[in-house]
Amino acid sequence: MTQPVWEFPVALPRHAFSARDAARAGDLWRAFQEAAVGASSRAGWSARRFSEAGTAFVVRTMTVRHHRETYYGEPLHARTWVCRFRREMISSREVRILDQSGGLVAEATQEWVHIDLNARTPVRAPDSVTSAFPEHDEGQGVELPASTEISGPTDVFRLRPFYTSMDPLGHANHPAYVDWCDEATSRVMVRAGLDPLALEPVAEQIVFRGGVGADELVEVQTRPVGLTAAGDLVLRHRVRLEGDVRAADATTVRRLHGQDPGLLQRAFGVG
């Protein structure tokens, strides 16, 4: 069925929540992914159908704003639409996660690229795909909050992704990058004597440069680059592979839940 906007229930699993009963940012990104895939399936293009056609959509950029935290079991629903389809290859999709009363919990702007599964290169989508996702405009997309520029030292965190965590395309799924950035942030907090459970997401943006495979050495370079008017800390993360190969460039905006914003700033050598 062809229609521009889809709305349907979404649920965050129990393991998406910390001991503070607040959903982690990476798991909100997984909910956004499920909303996009769910809308695609409802429009007639399931993951299996794309696989049979030898193509897929992969995320190139994504920007998220968190308007409030959510707790386990809270009824939520997604509202999503494609706002632009360029050159039959690049699809810009808006996703909103709403509560029972229609209040905004989180919102995302996603840019998906249509690729050939064998060559792993961009390819034009056929009319049967583009016609299934008619463009719909509801105004401006999601942007990071404004901030003033600051500088601070760079911290480095290294990891090797599990073979058992690879996604259906055989690489680390894009929400995992948010997990890595928040793990890097959490380790700085612990060294400064702060409780990482207090970390609260405000916004994120990631530009993906290349895939990360299982057991590859991943280096996350994190440094403070800005402060919002509310005192939230803006962090820049460079995700690199061996040989200084760029995997992604990420920005996260974070605060401490119910605490003095200066504590997080000082943990990163600011102020």
Side-chain angles (χ1 to χ4, degrees), residues 21-248:
D21 196 27
R24 300 180 184 89
D27 287 294
L28 264 300
W29 277 54
R30 292 177 179 90
F32 285 124
Q33 179 176 226
E34 289 302 310
V37 172
S40 179
S41 296
R42 287 168 170 81
W45 278 92
S46 65
R48 180 176 291 276
R49 185 177 178 187
F50 276 114
S51 180
E52 291 170 349
T55 63
F57 275 98
V58 296
V59 176
R60 185 166 74 173
T61 64
M62 186 162 159
T63 307
V64 171
R65 290 287 293 266
H66 302 267
H67 292 268
R68 69 168 179 84
E69 292 187 303
T70 182
Y71 56 86
Y72 178 61
E74 180 182 13
L76 302 171
H77 69 277
R79 175 180 170 83
T80 181
W81 63 93
V82 170
C83 60
R84 186 168 51 171
F85 215 134
R86 290 173 285 158
R87 302 194 304 276
E88 293 83 47
M89 283 189 292
I90 303 172
S91 170
S92 297
R93 176 179 286 278
E94 300 291 329
V95 187
R96 308 291 183 258
I97 302 295
L98 308 165
D99 61 24
Q100 214 167 12
S101 64
L104 195 55
V105 174
E107 57 183 336
T109 296
Q110 306 167 323
E111 191 172 83
W112 298 81
V113 180
H114 187 255
I115 66 166
D116 179 283
L117 278 177
N118 291 322
R120 298 299 173 103
T121 55
V123 62
R124 292 185 183 275
D127 290 343
S128 55
V129 171
T130 57
S131 62
F133 306 106
E135 294 182 358
H136 177 75
D137 184 13
E138 292 193 7
Q140 187 175 2
V142 180
E143 297 180 349
L144 293 175
S147 62
T148 57
E149 186 175 342
I150 61 170
S151 63
T154 297
D155 187 81
V156 176
F157 165 60
R158 297 181 179 90
L159 72 146
R160 290 185 181 272
F162 293 170
Y163 286 97
T164 51
S165 68
M166 295 298 100
D167 71 7
L169 296 183
H171 52 54
N173 199 220
H174 64 272
Y177 292 65
V178 182
D179 296 335
W180 300 341
C181 292
D182 276 346
E183 180 67 18
T185 301
S186 296
R187 289 173 181 243
V188 173
M189 292 173 61
V190 169
R191 291 200 299 270
L194 299 177
D195 183 356
L197 286 177
L199 192 65
E200 181 177 335
V202 178
E204 305 89 32
Q205 183 179 77
I206 302 183
V207 179
F208 297 93
R209 309 292 185 183
V212 174
D215 204 37
E216 289 193 88
L217 180 61
V218 178
E219 183 174 276
V220 183
Q221 303 167 4
T222 300
R223 63 186 177 91
V225 296
L227 287 175
T228 70
D232 303 326
L233 187 62
V234 183
L235 297 165
R236 185 71 41 78
H237 312 267
R238 305 299 190 192
V239 183
R240 299 290 188 267
L241 301 177
E242 287 186 282
D244 200 30
V245 176
R246 297 169 72 188

